[in-house]
Amino acid sequence: MAYAKLTSESELPHAGEAKEFEFEGRTICVANVNGTIRAMDNVCLHMGGPLGQGYIEGDKIVCPWHGWSYDAETGALDDDPQSKVTTYPIKIENGAVMIEL
Ligand code: FES
């Protein structure tokens, strides 16, 4: 699938923060990990907590409900790296944030 516009660059979360975006019928978690923008599914593998309402710790995104943490780049669960949330390629082009599902 090709890249499509998710949002504007000005809507992105600040460094160290995450945010939720609705896109094509699903919710995407976008995280700003020390200036690097990452995108992944918003649904925690534990009980479905909203990762986009979580927080950043180092290069991890931490679920706000019970603290499961995921590698922001690969989506791998810290406690069980075989388990992953889906991550998506994301890039910024001329002020637009483009994502590929
Ligand atoms: S739902 Fe995410 S840690 Fe429990």
Side-chain angles (χ1 to χ4, degrees):
M1 202 191 142
Y3 277 90
K5 184 178 177 186
L6 175 72
T7 188
S8 303
E9 188 175 5
S10 59
E11 295 296 315
L12 285 173
H14 298 295
E17 294 177 2
K19 199 168 168 181
E20 294 173 312
F21 291 90
E22 300 300 323
F23 185 72
E24 295 185 353
R26 57 186 117 177
T27 307
I28 307 294
C29 162
V30 175
N32 184 332
V33 184
N34 308 313
T36 302
I37 302 299
R38 305 285 187 194
M40 64 181 68
D41 259 343
N42 196 51
V43 182
C44 180
L45 298 175
H46 180 216
M47 291 176 69
L51 296 179
Q53 295 176 30
Y55 54 95
I56 311 299
E57 218 172 64
D59 58 354
K60 313 288 182 188
I61 172 117
V62 183
C63 178
W65 284 7
H66 318 97
W68 283 25
S69 64
Y70 299 85
D71 185 299
E73 180 176 6
T74 66
L77 178 65
D78 260 359
D79 289 342
D80 174 15
Q82 303 296 341
S83 301
K84 293 183 179 180
V85 294
T86 305
T87 55
Y88 303 106
I90 189 167
K91 63 182 179 180
I92 298 168
E93 257 178 24
N94 302 322
V97 179
M98 310 294 290
I99 190 172
E100 187 180 31
L101 292 198

